[in-house]
Amino acid sequence: MSLMMEQPFTGYWTDLTDRDIHGVWAFSQDYYGTPPPIPWDVEPNNHGGMENCAVIYTNGRFSDVTCNSTANVICQKPAAGVSTASPNNNTAPSSPSMPLV
C-alpha cells in the first residue's frame, strides 16, 4: 500500500496567506510578487475564522486551511544550466523558504 493511500492527501503549501488583510491573498515572501488570479471553488470559506493559509491540490484547486495544518512542501531550485541572475546582476533566491508549519 502506498503512503498516499495510507494517509489522507492534504495538498501542497503555496505560501499564500490572508493574515495581513482578511480576504486579500498574497505571498508571505515579497520576492514572489503578486499572485495570479486564484481559481477558488467553494473556498476560501475561513472555516472557524482560523483559515489564513492556502494549499493547492493536484486538480489545481486551492483551499484555505489553518496555518498550522499538515501539508506537503514543494521545493524550488534553479534548473540545471539556467542562470538565476537578474538583469541588475542581483542573484535571485535559489531556494526560498516556504512556511513549514
Side-chain angles (χ1 to χ4, degrees):
M1 181 177 281
S2 77
L3 181 61
M4 291 296 286
M5 294 178 72
E6 292 174 13
Q7 298 177 353
F9 183 66
T10 56
Y12 295 94
W13 286 115
T14 63
D15 194 48
L16 289 168
T17 181
D18 72 342
R19 278 189 221 176
D20 293 335
I21 303 172
H22 178 71
V24 177
W25 291 87
F27 292 116
S28 70
Q29 305 293 321
D30 289 337
Y31 53 76
Y32 287 130
T34 303
I38 301 169
W40 297 106
D41 192 6
V42 294
E43 301 283 350
N45 62 4
N46 198 27
H47 181 74
M50 301 294 292
E51 295 184 328
N52 296 315
C53 289
V55 295
I56 187 170
Y57 297 105
T58 55
N59 65 3
R61 291 292 178 194
F62 288 74
S63 177
D64 60 332
V65 296
T66 60
C67 296
N68 62 351
S69 295
T70 300
N72 298 295
V73 176
I74 300 173
C75 296
Q76 178 181 2
K77 69 177 190 174
V82 176
S83 172
T84 59
S86 64
N88 62 3
N89 291 331
N90 289 333
T91 303
S94 61
S95 181
S97 22
M98 300 294 282
L100 301 176
V101 286

